[in-house]
Amino acid sequence: MTTVTTPTPTSELIAEPWASEQTITCRDDRVGLRAVIAIDDTTLGPGFGGVRYRAYPSTEAAAREAQRLAAAMTLKHALAELPYGGAKSVVMLEGAAPAPGSTERRALFARFGEMIARTAGTYVPGVDMGTLLEDMQTIRDDGGARAFCDEVSPSPFTARGVHAAMRAAAVHHHGAAGLSGLHVVVQGVGSVGAEVARLAHADGARLTVADVDTARAEELARELGGATVAADAAPFHDADVFSPCAVARVVTRDTLERIPARIIAGAANDTLDEPGCAEALRAAGITYVPDFVANAGGVVQVHGGVSGWSEQETLAAIDRIGERVTGLLETGEAQGITPVAAALQRASAALGREIVA
Ligand code: NAI
């Protein structure tokens, strides 16, 4: 029999048991499984959302993250007009993650797949931080659950959507020239950010790029004839557009006054440190494109793949993110509310319940 270390969380509480439509805890000591599935809202369809596999200090922290991310998926899908609800799961990791392809890892995800299968398709998992395509295949093949196992990377599609969002905001403020001649700073030039920078450059923007991996930033700057800036200085670099494509919560109440850019549009989830930042940005004259609207290109591509769309259909659906952003900015201006509030209004109408930030 295999011996597996079972995570021993310091707390067994779920802080907000009623935060989601369903919050399911999963445990099997034989394979070291401790997981939480949060199904936030299934009004628009089955809850789709990735499986995050990382260490958590407590059950409470794991459950809170699953519920928070599931709620964000509800918004993302509602705004992208996709037939999915919002869900997310977290598998709690203790120590080093079992190697890809190992018996231990396969047993873990097979068992988790069996538990996902019990939701009878109400929760559909996909890849997220710490999980791999092969883990989804194990969930599907060995666990018997429906899982999204598309072998196409979502990142270029996410980047296309972020670029469409950024360009729409630029057109809204600067007219038809859009990004041409504007200075764009991209923070984090990984698989999404680098492509966002290339697309903005192709539109005639001047680029400054930042990454904790400085060699990566320098290489991209050379390719685009742009410049680099230190990763943590990127939000405060003199620019027209700031595109956060790395980590969460880069815009805080304390720092937003130091952001010179008039437009913020990026891929990073949870860009705002807290909901009140949206109003503070509006008061400061900065147009913030909600992250959950801008970064939906990847989920649109997943849906296109599942639905048998042609590449043209998928790309056209992603480009509609730009039209959506224009609509939100117009609504925001007409009603004197933030683009985030305008987006929440739309989500509330789609879901038939009021969603507040
Ligand atoms: P990635 O891991 O390929 O790239 C992230 C880049 O950011 C790396 O080059 C890393 O060195 C850099 N980085 C990390 N910390 C940084 C910091 N403090 N300052 C500057 N650079 C830093 O990730 P990916 O896939 O490009 O995703 C970027 C962001 O977009 C993430 O927040 C992710 O959650 C979000 N996102 C990605 C989607 C996708 O389809 N890949 C979909 C929706 C959201």
Side-chain angles (χ1 to χ4, degrees):
M1 187 186 285
T2 348
T3 310
V4 186
T5 318
T6 301
T8 45
T10 54
S11 151
E12 296 301 333
L13 296 174
I14 293 180
E16 301 283 353
W18 313 115
S20 310
E21 208 174 275
Q22 278 186 289
T23 303
I24 303 164
T25 55
C26 309
R27 168 184 173 177
D28 188 332
D29 291 347
R30 286 165 303 179
V31 296
L33 175 70
R34 288 275 201 286
V36 181
I37 302 170
I39 302 172
D40 180 68
D41 188 301
T42 56
T43 308
L44 300 176
F48 160 39
V51 183
R52 192 163 277 198
Y53 185 28
R54 50 164 284 216
Y56 290 90
S58 64
T59 306
E60 182 178 344
R64 202 183 279 277
E65 174 147 290
Q67 292 174 327
R68 191 179 56 79
L69 295 171
M73 293 305 286
T74 300
L75 287 181
K76 188 186 289 205
H77 294 149
L79 264 295
E81 296 167 28
L82 294 175
Y84 302 112
K88 206 86 176 186
S89 64
V90 301
V91 178
M92 298 171 74
L93 174 68
E94 186 164 282
S102 63
T103 311
E104 196 185 333
R105 187 167 180 127
R106 204 172 167 119
L108 177 75
F109 282 101
R111 187 72 179 118
F112 187 43
E114 287 172 9
M115 297 200 183
I116 293 170
R118 293 178 190 166
T119 71
T122 303
Y123 171 50
V124 186
V127 171
D128 197 272
M129 203 182 285
T131 52
L132 305 164
L133 185 63
E134 66 182 50
D135 299 326
M136 295 311 117
Q137 287 163 345
T138 303
I139 285 171
R140 181 191 60 190
D141 300 341
D142 299 359
R146 184 181 180 206
F148 286 146
C149 305
D150 198 332
E151 294 191 15
V152 179
S153 161
S155 301
F157 300 93
T158 301
R160 187 178 176 110
V162 171
H163 169 251
M166 182 190 286
R167 187 167 53 185
V171 168
H172 186 80
H173 287 294
H174 302 281
L179 289 168
S180 176
L182 297 189
H183 183 191
V184 176
V185 171
V186 180
Q187 183 188 44
V189 286
S191 49
V192 176
E195 191 57 20
V196 169
R198 289 190 185 99
L199 292 168
H201 177 256
D203 268 356
R206 180 161 68 86
L207 266 300
T208 296
V209 293
D211 202 295
V212 285
D213 182 340
T214 51
R216 183 177 287 176
E218 278 159 16
E219 193 182 328
L220 185 66
R222 267 195 303 279
E223 177 191 324
L224 303 179
T228 60
V229 61
D232 55 359
F236 315 114
H237 196 65
D238 195 20
D240 301 297
V241 180
F242 170 52
S243 186
C245 294
V247 287
R249 298 186 190 88
V250 288
V251 177
T252 71
R253 266 190 201 267
D254 297 340
T255 59
L256 66 85
E257 279 175 8
R258 292 166 46 214
I259 298 176
R262 296 296 92 184
I263 294 170
I264 300 178
N269 288 308
D270 285 340
T271 290
L272 304 186
D273 183 45
E274 39 108 1
C277 291
E279 188 54 52
L281 284 166
R282 193 175 81 90
I286 300 173
T287 296
Y288 172 68
V289 178
D291 45 30
F292 56 87
V293 177
N295 70 16
V299 289
V300 173
Q301 183 271 326
V302 168
H303 179 62
V306 172
S307 310
W309 289 358
S310 68
E311 191 181 344
Q312 284 316 102
E313 286 173 308
T314 297
L315 297 182
I318 293 169
D319 292 344
R320 283 200 287 281
I321 290 174
E323 292 158 35
R324 213 164 283 135
V325 167
T326 303
L328 294 175
L329 299 186
E330 286 172 355
T331 303
E333 278 174 12
Q335 298 186 17
I337 58 174
T338 68
V340 173
L344 295 181
Q345 262 184 14
R346 275 205 197 182
S348 301
L351 297 166
R353 65 181 171 96
E354 196 188 353
I355 301 187
V356 286

Short mmCIF file of all heavy atoms in Angstrom, two decimals, residues 76 154-155 158 187-193 210-213 216 231-232 245-247 267-269 295 298, ligand 1:
data_model
loop_
_atom_site.label_atom_id
_atom_site.label_comp_id
_atom_site.label_asym_id
_atom_site.label_seq_id
_atom_site.Cartn_x
_atom_site.Cartn_y
_atom_site.Cartn_z
N LYS A 76 -17.06 36.47 -14.86
CA LYS A 76 -16.34 36.39 -16.14
C LYS A 76 -17.23 35.75 -17.22
O LYS A 76 -17.36 36.25 -18.33
CB LYS A 76 -15.06 35.57 -15.96
CG LYS A 76 -14.17 35.59 -17.19
CD LYS A 76 -12.98 34.67 -17.07
CE LYS A 76 -11.93 35.14 -16.11
NZ LYS A 76 -10.58 34.59 -16.43
N PRO A 154 -4.55 28.52 -23.72
CA PRO A 154 -5.48 29.65 -23.79
C PRO A 154 -4.76 31.00 -23.88
O PRO A 154 -5.38 32.01 -24.23
CB PRO A 154 -6.26 29.55 -22.47
CG PRO A 154 -5.34 28.84 -21.55
CD PRO A 154 -4.49 27.93 -22.37
N SER A 155 -3.47 31.02 -23.54
CA SER A 155 -2.79 32.31 -23.35
C SER A 155 -2.85 33.26 -24.56
O SER A 155 -3.16 34.44 -24.39
CB SER A 155 -1.34 32.09 -22.94
OG SER A 155 -1.32 31.35 -21.74
N THR A 158 -6.26 34.72 -24.56
CA THR A 158 -6.42 35.69 -23.47
C THR A 158 -5.77 37.01 -23.88
O THR A 158 -6.33 38.10 -23.70
CB THR A 158 -5.77 35.15 -22.17
OG1 THR A 158 -6.41 33.92 -21.84
CG2 THR A 158 -5.93 36.13 -21.02
N GLN A 187 3.34 45.00 -17.35
CA GLN A 187 4.01 44.38 -16.19
C GLN A 187 3.79 42.87 -16.24
O GLN A 187 2.66 42.40 -16.10
CB GLN A 187 3.43 44.94 -14.88
CG GLN A 187 4.12 44.39 -13.64
CD GLN A 187 3.41 44.80 -12.36
OE1 GLN A 187 2.19 44.75 -12.28
NE2 GLN A 187 4.16 45.20 -11.36
N GLY A 188 4.87 42.13 -16.45
CA GLY A 188 4.77 40.67 -16.56
C GLY A 188 4.65 40.26 -18.01
O GLY A 188 3.58 40.37 -18.61
N VAL A 189 5.77 39.80 -18.57
CA VAL A 189 5.74 39.46 -20.00
C VAL A 189 5.91 37.94 -20.17
O VAL A 189 6.81 37.47 -20.85
CB VAL A 189 6.74 40.28 -20.84
CG1 VAL A 189 6.23 41.69 -21.00
CG2 VAL A 189 8.14 40.31 -20.22
N GLY A 190 5.02 37.20 -19.50
CA GLY A 190 4.96 35.76 -19.66
C GLY A 190 4.14 35.43 -20.89
O GLY A 190 4.13 36.19 -21.87
N SER A 191 3.40 34.32 -20.81
CA SER A 191 2.72 33.87 -22.03
C SER A 191 1.63 34.85 -22.48
O SER A 191 1.41 35.01 -23.68
CB SER A 191 2.16 32.46 -21.85
OG SER A 191 1.45 32.37 -20.66
N VAL A 192 0.97 35.55 -21.56
CA VAL A 192 -0.05 36.52 -21.98
C VAL A 192 0.58 37.90 -22.24
O VAL A 192 0.40 38.50 -23.30
CB VAL A 192 -1.17 36.65 -20.91
CG1 VAL A 192 -2.16 37.72 -21.31
CG2 VAL A 192 -1.89 35.32 -20.72
N GLY A 193 1.33 38.40 -21.25
CA GLY A 193 1.85 39.77 -21.33
C GLY A 193 2.72 40.03 -22.56
O GLY A 193 2.62 41.10 -23.18
N ALA A 210 8.18 45.09 -18.25
CA ALA A 210 8.78 44.81 -16.93
C ALA A 210 8.52 43.35 -16.57
O ALA A 210 7.45 42.81 -16.88
CB ALA A 210 8.13 45.71 -15.88
N ASP A 211 9.50 42.74 -15.94
CA ASP A 211 9.30 41.37 -15.47
C ASP A 211 10.34 41.10 -14.38
O ASP A 211 11.45 41.63 -14.44
CB ASP A 211 9.47 40.36 -16.62
CG ASP A 211 8.79 39.04 -16.34
OD1 ASP A 211 9.20 38.33 -15.39
OD2 ASP A 211 7.81 38.71 -17.05
N VAL A 212 9.95 40.29 -13.38
CA VAL A 212 10.95 39.91 -12.38
C VAL A 212 12.06 39.10 -13.04
O VAL A 212 13.20 39.08 -12.57
CB VAL A 212 10.33 39.11 -11.20
CG1 VAL A 212 9.56 40.02 -10.27
CG2 VAL A 212 9.45 37.98 -11.69
N ASP A 213 11.74 38.44 -14.14
CA ASP A 213 12.75 37.79 -14.98
C ASP A 213 13.27 38.87 -15.94
O ASP A 213 12.72 39.08 -17.02
CB ASP A 213 12.07 36.63 -15.73
CG ASP A 213 13.04 35.85 -16.60
OD1 ASP A 213 14.12 36.39 -16.91
OD2 ASP A 213 12.70 34.71 -16.97
N ARG A 216 14.08 38.16 -19.59
CA ARG A 216 12.90 38.00 -20.44
C ARG A 216 12.39 39.37 -20.90
O ARG A 216 12.05 39.58 -22.06
CB ARG A 216 11.82 37.27 -19.63
CG ARG A 216 10.57 36.98 -20.40
CD ARG A 216 9.59 36.19 -19.56
NE ARG A 216 10.00 34.83 -19.37
CZ ARG A 216 9.35 33.95 -18.60
NH1 ARG A 216 8.27 34.31 -17.95
NH2 ARG A 216 9.77 32.72 -18.48
N ALA A 231 10.32 45.69 -12.28
CA ALA A 231 8.98 45.08 -12.16
C ALA A 231 8.06 45.86 -11.21
O ALA A 231 6.91 46.15 -11.55
CB ALA A 231 9.12 43.64 -11.69
N ASP A 232 8.55 46.20 -10.03
CA ASP A 232 7.66 46.87 -9.07
C ASP A 232 7.47 48.36 -9.36
O ASP A 232 6.60 49.00 -8.78
CB ASP A 232 8.12 46.62 -7.62
CG ASP A 232 9.56 47.03 -7.42
OD1 ASP A 232 10.19 47.48 -8.40
OD2 ASP A 232 10.06 46.91 -6.28
N CYS A 245 -0.08 42.28 -16.14
CA CYS A 245 -0.20 40.89 -16.65
C CYS A 245 0.65 39.94 -15.84
O CYS A 245 1.20 38.96 -16.37
CB CYS A 245 0.22 40.85 -18.12
SG CYS A 245 -0.87 41.76 -19.22
N ALA A 246 0.80 40.22 -14.53
CA ALA A 246 1.64 39.33 -13.71
C ALA A 246 0.88 38.91 -12.45
O ALA A 246 0.25 37.85 -12.43
CB ALA A 246 2.95 40.02 -13.35
N VAL A 247 0.92 39.74 -11.44
CA VAL A 247 0.39 39.34 -10.13
C VAL A 247 -0.87 40.13 -9.77
O VAL A 247 -1.19 41.13 -10.40
CB VAL A 247 1.47 39.56 -9.04
CG1 VAL A 247 2.56 38.51 -9.14
CG2 VAL A 247 2.06 40.96 -9.13
N ALA A 267 -4.34 41.46 -17.91
CA ALA A 267 -4.83 40.09 -17.77
C ALA A 267 -4.90 39.63 -16.33
O ALA A 267 -5.66 38.71 -16.01
CB ALA A 267 -3.90 39.14 -18.53
N ALA A 268 -4.11 40.23 -15.45
CA ALA A 268 -4.00 39.71 -14.08
C ALA A 268 -5.36 39.73 -13.38
O ALA A 268 -6.07 40.73 -13.42
CB ALA A 268 -2.99 40.53 -13.29
N ASN A 269 -5.71 38.61 -12.76
CA ASN A 269 -6.94 38.55 -11.97
C ASN A 269 -6.77 39.38 -10.70
O ASN A 269 -5.67 39.50 -10.18
CB ASN A 269 -7.24 37.10 -11.58
CG ASN A 269 -7.70 36.28 -12.76
OD1 ASN A 269 -8.62 36.67 -13.48
ND2 ASN A 269 -7.06 35.15 -12.99
N ASN A 295 -9.88 39.73 -19.49
CA ASN A 295 -9.10 38.49 -19.60
C ASN A 295 -9.93 37.24 -19.93
O ASN A 295 -9.50 36.13 -19.68
CB ASN A 295 -8.23 38.28 -18.34
CG ASN A 295 -9.04 37.95 -17.11
OD1 ASN A 295 -10.21 37.57 -17.19
ND2 ASN A 295 -8.42 38.04 -15.95
N GLY A 298 -9.44 33.49 -22.97
CA GLY A 298 -9.11 32.08 -22.79
C GLY A 298 -10.34 31.21 -22.60
O GLY A 298 -10.46 30.14 -23.20
P1 NAI B 1 2.99 33.47 -16.90
O1 NAI B 1 3.41 32.71 -15.69
O2 NAI B 1 3.23 32.89 -18.25
O3 NAI B 1 3.67 34.92 -16.89
C1 NAI B 1 3.73 35.73 -15.76
C2 NAI B 1 4.97 36.59 -15.91
O4 NAI B 1 4.98 37.54 -14.87
C3 NAI B 1 6.28 35.81 -15.82
O5 NAI B 1 7.14 36.20 -16.86
C4 NAI B 1 6.82 36.19 -14.44
O6 NAI B 1 8.24 36.18 -14.41
C5 NAI B 1 6.28 37.59 -14.31
N1 NAI B 1 6.13 38.08 -12.95
C6 NAI B 1 5.84 37.41 -11.82
N2 NAI B 1 5.76 38.25 -10.78
C7 NAI B 1 5.98 39.50 -11.27
C8 NAI B 1 6.02 40.79 -10.69
N3 NAI B 1 5.81 40.97 -9.40
N4 NAI B 1 6.27 41.83 -11.51
C9 NAI B 1 6.50 41.66 -12.82
N5 NAI B 1 6.50 40.45 -13.43
C10 NAI B 1 6.24 39.38 -12.65
O7 NAI B 1 1.45 33.79 -16.65
P2 NAI B 1 0.36 34.15 -17.76
O8 NAI B 1 -0.33 32.92 -18.19
O9 NAI B 1 0.99 35.06 -18.75
O10 NAI B 1 -0.70 34.97 -16.88
C11 NAI B 1 -0.48 36.31 -16.51
C12 NAI B 1 -1.61 36.77 -15.61
O11 NAI B 1 -2.84 36.70 -16.31
C13 NAI B 1 -1.79 35.95 -14.34
O12 NAI B 1 -2.19 36.80 -13.31
C14 NAI B 1 -2.93 35.01 -14.69
O13 NAI B 1 -3.68 34.61 -13.55
C15 NAI B 1 -3.79 35.90 -15.58
N6 NAI B 1 -4.61 35.16 -16.52
C16 NAI B 1 -4.03 34.32 -17.43
C17 NAI B 1 -4.82 33.63 -18.33
C18 NAI B 1 -4.20 32.74 -19.38
O14 NAI B 1 -4.91 32.35 -20.30
N7 NAI B 1 -2.91 32.41 -19.28
C19 NAI B 1 -6.30 33.75 -18.32
C20 NAI B 1 -6.79 34.72 -17.36
C21 NAI B 1 -5.97 35.38 -16.48
#
